[in-house]
Amino acid sequence: MRRSLSLTAALLASTILGAPALAQTRTPPNPPLVEGGFATTDATDPYIWLEEVEGERAMAWVNEHNTRSLGVLQGDPRYAGLHEQALALVQARDRIPSPGFTHDGHIDNFWQDASHVRGIWRRTTLDSYRTDAPEWETILDIDALSTAEGKNWVYKGSSCLPPDERLCLISLSDGGKDAVVVREFDSVTRQFVQGGFELPESKGGATWVDADTLLISRDFGPGTLTSSGYPMVVKRLKRGQSIDQAETIFTGQPSDVSVGGGTLRDADGVIKAVIINRGVNFYESETHLLNADGTTTQLQLPAKSDINALVQGQLVVTTNQDWTAPSGQAFKTGDVFAWNMDAWLADPAAPAQLIVRPGARESVEAVRATRNKLVVALYENVRGAAYVYTPNPSGEWARTRLALAENSTVGLGSSSDQDDRIFVSVAGYLSPSTLSLVDAATGQMAQVKAIPPKFDASGMTVEQHEARSADGTMIPYFVVHKTDMPLDGSNATLLYGYGGFQVSQLPGYSPTVGKLWLERGGVYVVANVRGGGEFGPNWHEAARQQNRQRAHEDFQAVAQDLIARNITSQPHLGVMGGSQGGLFMGAMLTQRPDLINAAVIQVPLFDMFRFHRLLAGASWRAEYGDPDIPEQRAWIAEYSPYQNLRAGQPYPEVFIHTSTKDDRVHPGHARKAAARLEELGYPVLFYENTDGGHAAGANLRETARRIALEYTYLTRRLMDVPAEE
């Protein structure tokens, strides 16, 4: 479904098995940092030069470490086999091609495999897609384009103009960066439009208004970016104009995260409103209506909210805070409700209708609109279900539950503008993904795709346990393992966590985890700690800013619980996480190194005294706090891994990796972490991919190499440990 909707500021019953959860005492904080001590100021940070992303000295350091670490890991006799398996899995042609409905009912897909490493954008009919061997037509070949232009293009998506969707804006990234160039493309002639819209590399967005008009938010030169490095200005660009001729229609504040333009379109592609979103911080935003005379009017919405859909004239909104509407209605955090859009625009005090109010252990994970229905993925205790809601302007919205497999992850895919069909996926840790086409009007569904098993899950099981965190909160986690696993503490166990930004860690089928870890006897654990969204916005809020340490304690509680149950023991326990999860691993390393023998630290945040000065870091102050404010600096100081690395600790050899092309989380974080560890005398493996962006892989081959390096490292640290340890 391709209706354009406003974006928020984020440019993003329990079953207790086994032994009872154990009570804990609060983890002692790290020794207080002394101002003037290591890296508490720029002057006392001896490795600040590693923040020069492509500086000559910094890149020499990177190349030296890459050579050494690759020599160790790729020199391991098991690496070749793991790499071969990873490459076969990520390039497999029997994956489910992710379908996207076009306005005329065709199916779009972006596909990568061994023959299309960078990928192709392709299209087929729905009837053909439902067969075992769809007949695809290539619209744009990114490999061929890269070769022709001598670029390492990474496809970042397309936006096509309704209703015919012939004209498209293609976003292309150099090596995987968030910053993209945008070029107009004719999907019928399959050529870039000569003299068409073309926007130079920048973070930002571009939205069609009509065939000759775009709303664009870019880097327009000095004074047009926020302190987070995102656009502060929205302009209206007419065909034939240069960018400097575009008309400014909205300007935010330097302290904002970002601003951008969008449209609200009905199922026929007709614009009902042109809107501007001002991201005041990562979680709070303003939505402004662009009036016909060029002025804007702020809409009365909760500061923490998302516009989800426009269906049958009903504007569907989720609030992430308790909120009293102008009508006097009181809505609770996590509620989904709707207004008749025309009535609400005419009178902000028009009443809204409540659609969903999640319970304490529930969360709304996704909302999609078909032509006439609203489909909601509602999770209870991290287990998914999908419900269909029918708009009723005069009363309650009717609700029916789709007959999907229980105790699984339910994903809502693309939906049709022309009828009520929607793609719905179901998967579990041991259950390969299936894709069904559902008619939301009738509830009828038919499975159209399923991936064959990618690893041997026979004799394996999934359990859900809970651990008691330091403040008494029960933290759920999943354990995937062989059923006959001995409870003697000898099992090589990988504990994964993220713990931030209201991102839920839902059960999913991972061929690489299954093949490279579970099949080989490893145990895989996913912790649903606070800071995520597993139980709605309040679960996230409980570990934000001054409460960040709660998420770290939750993760530590899960690690302790695994050991208490004799599932594993310190010599066999490793942790893994990326980005915010990389910060999570850094806190685990500096606070409870006695619990672990391995840590895979992926594209991490690490220096939390300088995170807000590096790339997009300023946008995350709403999550972590501001190190320039003394009170907030104090709570950040308690866990910032870089400053809290100390000599004489039982740190295991860690594996840190990042990407030179990551323009979201600065690679300096990872580099400085490795340099400081080495200075203190600890062994460390460091690898930096010179392409790949924040995903640390610009193409499938690079992704397979990263995965093989990680599991080679984990094998060495957790499976090679002598039993007597």
Side-chain angles (χ1 to χ4, degrees), residues 4 58 119 121 142 153 168 219 264 288 314 342 407 558 604 701:
S4 178
W121 177 27
I142 305 300
W153 288 130
C168 302
D219 182 353
L264 288 168
H288 297 256
Q314 303 290 304
D342 290 339
N407 299 326
V558 172
R701 291 176 189 146

Side-chain angles (χ1 to χ4, degrees), residues 494-559:
L494 176 59
L495 170 59
Y496 184 87
Y498 185 77
F501 295 96
Q502 203 175 319
V503 175
S504 301
Q505 301 302 304
L506 305 176
Y509 189 76
S510 171
T512 52
V513 170
K515 193 71 178 177
L516 278 65
W517 192 247
L518 293 172
E519 257 194 18
R520 299 169 61 230
V523 178
Y524 184 61
V525 182
V526 176
N528 299 118
V529 302
R530 284 174 290 183
E534 288 87 345
F535 300 133
N538 287 332
W539 193 247
H540 165 242
E541 192 67 25
R544 192 169 67 88
Q545 294 203 338
Q546 70 268 30
N547 296 319
R548 169 60 43 185
Q549 180 61 16
R550 289 178 178 170
H552 301 150
E553 291 169 350
D554 292 353
F555 196 65
Q556 294 160 18
V558 172

Side-chain angles (χ1 to χ4, degrees), residues 318-323 331-336 357-358 536-538:
T318 297
T319 180
N320 293 318
Q321 64 182 76
D322 291 350
W323 182 68
F331 293 101
K332 295 183 177 295
T333 301
D335 281 355
V336 182
R357 174 162 289 167
N538 287 332

Side-chain angles (χ1 to χ4, degrees), residues 195 197 212 238-242 245:
F197 290 115
D212 296 314
K238 293 285 189 179
R239 188 173 296 279
Q241 288 183 326
S242 62
Q245 293 173 320

Side-chain angles (χ1 to χ4, degrees), residues 161-483:
L161 175 65
D164 63 6
E165 297 184 333
R166 173 172 180 166
L167 296 179
C168 302
L169 300 174
I170 307 294
S171 295
L172 298 169
S173 163
D174 176 13
K177 294 184 288 187
D178 285 353
V180 296
V181 299
V182 178
R183 293 158 64 177
E184 186 179 6
F185 184 80
D186 188 321
S187 64
V188 174
T189 65
R190 298 171 189 176
Q191 300 288 328
F192 287 102
V193 176
Q194 193 72 25
F197 290 115
E198 187 163 350
L199 307 177
E201 183 180 80
S202 172
K203 295 181 181 181
T207 300
W208 290 104
V209 177
D210 56 44
D212 296 314
T213 312
L214 301 179
L215 294 183
I216 59 173
S217 50
R218 320 288 294 166
D219 182 353
F220 297 113
T224 65
L225 295 179
T226 67
S227 59
S228 300
Y230 292 106
M232 189 176 70
V233 176
V234 179
K235 296 190 177 189
R236 180 162 38 206
L237 179 66
K238 293 285 189 179
R239 188 173 296 279
Q241 288 183 326
S242 62
I243 290 180
D244 58 6
Q245 293 173 320
E247 173 192 5
T248 297
I249 59 174
F250 190 88
T251 302
Q253 299 295 322
S255 59
D256 293 342
V257 171
S258 65
V259 298
T263 59
L264 288 168
R265 297 180 185 265
D266 65 16
D268 294 317
V270 177
I271 290 180
K272 307 301 290 186
V274 178
I275 54 178
I276 307 296
N277 182 270
R278 177 190 171 210
V280 177
N281 61 43
F282 203 86
Y283 302 107
E284 296 182 341
S285 64
E286 297 174 353
T287 302
H288 297 256
L289 179 69
L290 180 62
N291 302 313
D293 63 0
T295 63
T296 58
T297 302
Q298 184 177 343
L299 300 177
Q300 298 302 301
L301 289 167
K304 297 179 181 179
S305 62
D306 299 292
I307 294 178
N308 301 123
L310 178 60
V311 55
Q312 288 198 45
Q314 303 290 304
L315 185 69
V316 180
V317 174
T318 297
T319 180
N320 293 318
Q321 64 182 76
D322 291 350
W323 182 68
T324 301
S327 63
Q329 296 169 283
F331 293 101
K332 295 183 177 295
T333 301
D335 281 355
V336 182
F337 54 90
W339 285 285
N340 177 288
M341 184 171 170
D342 290 339
W344 177 64
L345 289 178
D347 179 9
Q353 288 183 320
L354 179 67
I355 303 173
V356 186
R357 174 162 289 167
R361 302 289 280 186
E362 292 182 325
S363 68
V364 172
E365 290 292 340
V367 178
R368 298 284 187 275
T370 64
R371 186 173 185 86
N372 304 296
K373 305 286 183 176
L374 193 73
V375 186
V376 176
L378 183 65
Y379 279 65
E380 182 180 2
N381 205 44
V382 206
R383 300 164 189 265
Y387 293 87
V388 176
Y389 293 82
T390 301
N392 181 2
S394 60
E396 292 185 2
W397 289 40
R399 181 176 100 159
T400 58
R401 179 169 175 156
L402 293 177
L404 301 169
E406 297 185 357
N407 299 326
S408 299
T409 287
V410 174
L412 303 183
S414 181
S415 57
S416 173
D417 289 323
Q418 302 307 300
D419 52 40
D420 293 312
R421 290 179 293 184
I422 181 172
F423 287 104
V424 179
S425 63
V426 175
Y429 287 116
L430 300 177
S431 304
S433 301
T434 63
L435 183 71
S436 296
L437 185 60
V438 177
D439 188 333
T442 65
Q444 293 181 337
M445 64 182 69
Q447 182 175 301
V448 293
K449 301 288 179 187
I451 64 171
K454 295 296 183 178
F455 60 93
D456 182 4
S458 61
M460 293 186 188
T461 191
V462 179
E463 296 176 333
Q464 188 180 36
H465 299 297
E466 287 190 341
R468 188 179 301 277
S469 193
D471 65 359
T473 302
M474 302 306 294
I475 308 301
Y477 66 94
F478 288 99
V479 185
V480 191
H481 62 90
K482 291 190 174 181
T483 307

